[in-house]
Amino acid sequence: MPVVNPEKLAALQRSAQDVRNICILAHVDHGKTSLTDALIATNGIISPRQAGKIRYLDSRPDEQLRGITMESSAISLCFSMARRSSPEAEPEQRDYLINLIDSPGHVDFSSEVSTASRLCDGAVVMVDAVEGVCSQTVTVLRQAWIEHLKPILVISKMDRLVTELKMSAAEAYTHLSKLLEQVNAVLGSFFQGERMEEDLQWREKMEQRITAAAEKDSGDANGKDAEISDISEDTQSTGDDGFEERDDEDLYFAPENNNVIFSSSIDGWAFTVRQFARLYEKKLGIQRSVLEKVLWGDFYLDPKNKRVLGPKHLKGRSLKPMFVQLVLENIWAVYEATTGEGKTRGDGSMIEKIVKSLGIKVPPHIMRSKDPRALMTTIFSSWLPLSTALLVSVIEQLPSPPIAQASRIPALLDSSPGADHISSVVRESMMNFKTASQDPVVAYVSKMVSIPASELPQNKRKAGSTMTPEEARELARKKRAEIAKAQAAADGENASLNGVTGALEEASLDGDGNQDEHEAAEEPEHLIGFARLYSGTLSVGDSVYVLPPKFSPEAPHAQPEPKKVTVTALYLLMGRSLESLTSVPAGVVFGIGGLEGSVLKTATLCSQLKGSVNLAGVSMGGEPIVRVALEPTNPADLEKMVEGLKLLEQSDPCAKFEVLENGEYVILSAGELHLERCLKDLRERFARCEIQAGEPMVPYRETIVSATEMAAPKNKDVPRGTVIGITSSKQITLRLRVRPLPQALAEVLQKSSTDIKHLYTRKKAAEDVQKSIEGPDQAEVEEAEIEHIIGTTAASIDDLKTTLKDTVKDLKDHEFWSNAIEHVTAFGPRRVGPNLLVDATSSKICQKFLQETTSTESTAPEMETSSTSLTPADFSDRIAHAFQLATAQGPLCSEPVQDIAVFLEEVTLTPSTSSTEDSTTNPSLSRENLNRLTGEVIRTVRSSIHTGFLDWSPRLLLAIYSCEIQASTEVLGRVYAVIQRRRGHIVSEAVKEGTPFFTITALLPVAESFGFSDEIRKRTSGAASPQLRFQGFEMLDEDPFWVPFTEDELEDLGELADRENVAKRYMDGVRRRKGLVVKGGKKVGAEKQRTLKR
């Protein structure tokens, strides 16, 4: 294959209609990288014989070792094909530029899939023909749906149906039909969910319009009816307001629509229905367009008159479907003649017959070869080349950047922060794909990639160029050192004296060698942006603004203010290498230099600040859940480790690091495999020092329940959970009560955390506006400003309040909880958690959270009149802060608390009796003592909440993984044994129809998951591999403080409780790690064992 020059690829970037930006998405081990190899071989980068084996885009050593992709890699390819501008015109040869991104399939690297999909216009979704739809398949299909990518389906590893499952062609057709139905069912679920949401929004919009019209004409009943009827008629007649059903016919994968490709990457073949329609067009005398529609499905070929029959016209005849007869049986025949187990294997006459009937030429030395695979791959690559089938489908089915942006950009812009403030020039430039130099530049940086300095194009010496004198001297010095070292080692074997001399020489030379190696290892890492340009033309030397993910065009100068950087380099991404560019037009995936220190993970680049757009709000597919504390082996390397952590955080889309209160440096990762890769990169590339990693820190949650067997309340005179707290100065007395939230209310609060966060931000912004605007004449301006800020948010206060009240209306004590919702003061922890602080005092000293901000005006006079002495209302924000602290660190093991409600029942202020002054002035309760009393109040409220918490039956919530395993019947028992040993439980078990494989779904505690994948592979000899995805938190129904106290329990378990308390083990483990006090079990005096002999 001829090698394509980078200059030609750069020239093809200027023709946007001939560019395709695609990403390959699939479950792990479904053949993405092997398929990519076949495409790379068309450009002469690797040999076609090595395609599927070399895995070119897996450039990391650990990727090659494990055989999985860990980082998304991009490469630009050129593909030439003849196309007709019209049916009558002669075919013309055209060159196309394919910007291809290979993404990982492992669940730990889902963030790489998210970053890759935003840059592309189309997706190639791969599904294993045997394993079918897996968990990550659903994830990548959802990602493509969210990003509005047009997908094509590749059913890979078709050879397994022949060689592994020994299916006949008819059985394979049935299996493929069911597989296609499974994939389309996933797409159908996405479509149905979206339509239901649109229908709900449309109905709410219509109800609001009808209600508004009814209120406007409420005085005239006839006028109201007329208005409502006019609105209903308008909604039926106009397409804008009327609910229109969308046709989902083009949504699904169907071979007759040429968006399904059947392939085998390892054997180098692939085909679409259109290819076989072209092959059989002349032979059957049927038009190609007709054949494309009938080659897949229940259509049969009458052997007598060569007519296509439907299932109704069979008249009892047992004919094979056309796909089986004309397509699969021919492929099966090639396998049987080359690598099959039948009598026809190795039959030269049969092979010659097949080659002749297919009209292909096979070299004579291949025909005489004793390697059947070489013969098979040669036949298939000549008959059904994989690269041709895939790239032709990509060019014909997937859109070019101008077409894709016209359909994708409107939804992308409308969902971005501050969409109403985006400049019309920027919006039109992106939607209309303007590439002129005067048009605004908008680019999205999806991630930062770390590249060693030696691999940058400017630091590489081009092939054929002469070395500089310095380079020649350095190379000669290294060669002399190597030769001297080898001679010294050889002389050392002859004589002891010479051996000593040689050893000394070797030591000195070896020291030089180590110095050279150390210098080579210390080469710096540079961060390159992985980006896509949406409008304008970007050139080296241009200055652009770097907009962070939290930027909003509504307040362009808000802190942190966007930086303006200068583009230092532009790169053409070529997999393992980079090529320099001087400028990049819109619609191209490229690398960009000059962003170090300005971009953390993602960012938007824009040539203007006012009216710019923020595209960095991409879903990362999952938050990091596994935390590990790090420390350098040599304390002097601490600064190196910190700098390495900063580089790692920038270059990895999912990794994070933070510094705990005790000074520990903690890295957060998505899973065990992701953590292993991060530590390897940190030691070898970023920090370049030895680093020790502690035990994984797994998050827990604390909660309370009302159990049937609980200890008696600590204070029998008050209800359970009630605590009376008194500050150390005896001046403030608080009474509060802790209660568990109803399960339904707790679930709604967990789902509404985003809405609560938006509400809090909105109320805070409105209050800031109220404080900044002074004077009664500006009331109208103030109201308009507040409405402007409140404008577009996820949910309103009334909606949230209505949702919460609807949730509790079916409870027995619904009146109590409805009243509590009215007086909610705060949510916690971090103001968005599923815990409530309720103001149950008689004077309502705290501000209601679920109330409009204008209600603060009513408390202003009270605050003014009480300016000289303290009142309980002065401590409302201190109590709310203590509530946040108490729920952020619970009493069991200082983990976040959830699903509790804290009712503040009474706050009493008592003057100090030690004051010698007049008691009427209450100097001890003057406003000057507010700072002193603040700490006392916070400490008292926090400890009181913890005391009330422990008055109930406490529980730990464990972080849970959803585990999916595909295993054969032979290893099923071993898989179950490993899951049960690690305290997991099976959720479902299903058989893959037509295969001997079971799909097992289980729930596994994250704390027990470390080493789980390796143990599964060892126990099953590699026959099963799990996929772990964070599911959430699940309650461990066991009291960590439980001890046997009933007669039956004491009789069965004894005083020492022979049964292990798992909850206490988890709790003590966390307390021990955090340096908290751990209460041990009862110590029993040891006795010497007595035997019968003594």
Side-chain angles (χ1 to χ4, degrees), residues 697-765:
M697 296 185 289
V698 179
Y700 294 88
R701 295 291 184 268
E702 303 178 17
T703 189
I704 52 176
V705 295
S706 178
T708 54
E709 297 180 358
M710 288 190 297
K714 296 179 181 179
N715 190 349
K716 297 182 179 180
D717 297 333
V718 293
R720 183 183 293 274
T722 302
V723 180
I724 299 175
I726 303 175
T727 60
S728 57
S729 62
K730 312 293 184 182
Q731 292 182 269
I732 302 176
T733 303
L734 304 104
R735 176 187 170 113
L736 55 84
R737 185 184 181 192
V738 179
R739 288 189 59 173
L741 283 176
Q743 185 65 28
L745 183 58
E747 291 176 358
V748 171
L749 288 176
Q750 292 174 18
K751 295 177 182 177
S752 305
S753 60
T754 305
D755 294 340
I756 296 172
K757 182 177 181 180
H758 284 308
L759 283 176
Y760 178 80
T761 305
R762 187 176 71 180
K763 289 174 69 69
K764 191 172 184 299

Side-chain angles (χ1 to χ4, degrees), residues 482-526:
E482 292 175 2
I483 293 171
K485 182 178 178 181
Q487 289 177 348
D491 294 341
E493 298 176 357
N494 298 329
S496 59
L497 181 61
N498 293 335
V500 173
T501 307
L504 293 173
E505 292 176 357
E506 181 180 357
S508 62
L509 290 171
D510 190 35
D512 293 340
N514 286 338
Q515 185 177 359
D516 295 337
E517 293 176 4
H518 181 70
E519 290 174 359
E522 289 295 332
E523 66 171 335
E525 296 272 342
H526 292 273

